[in-house]
Amino acid sequence: RTEFPEPFERCAIRYTRRYARTPLDMDNAAASFKSIGDALQDLGIIPDDSPNHVTELTVAQEKVPTVKDQGVLIELQEKETA
């Protein structure tokens, strides 16, 4: 198991779905990241996925040249605690 640093107390998360063929409807794209958010919590990267800890959530899609280039980019930015 990979060891991660202490979780961000508050953070912004940006998910970018990289697709080669067809983008998803934005509501489906947003829903598709639910399990990734849960995994971030299970791994201890974020303490909880509630609004108290995840202050911003952005979903984007980006066309890439080939299927081999498809994937998901997950970016976390630490936010100051209130």
Side-chain angles (χ1 to χ4, degrees):
R1 179 176 167 156
T2 302
E3 294 298 319
F4 295 101
E6 289 295 314
F8 292 143
E9 187 61 31
R10 293 170 52 88
C11 69
I13 302 175
R14 178 181 174 88
Y15 298 113
T16 303
R17 177 181 177 264
R18 294 177 171 168
Y19 67 93
R21 296 195 177 118
T22 305
L24 294 176
D25 294 341
M26 286 308 291
D27 57 344
N28 290 333
S32 72
F33 294 119
K34 172 69 174 133
S35 60
I36 296 174
D38 291 342
L40 292 173
Q41 183 178 341
D42 291 344
L43 291 168
I45 296 171
I46 58 174
D48 191 325
D49 59 0
S50 72
N52 292 331
H53 298 283
V54 178
T55 61
E56 299 172 40
L57 180 64
T58 305
V59 174
Q61 298 188 80
E62 173 182 283
K63 185 154 178 61
V64 293
T66 68
V67 171
K68 188 172 86 174
D69 297 316
Q70 291 184 144
V72 175
L73 174 64
I74 305 165
E75 299 170 281
L76 285 86
Q77 179 182 17
E78 188 168 18
K79 297 292 186 176
E80 291 187 23
T81 56

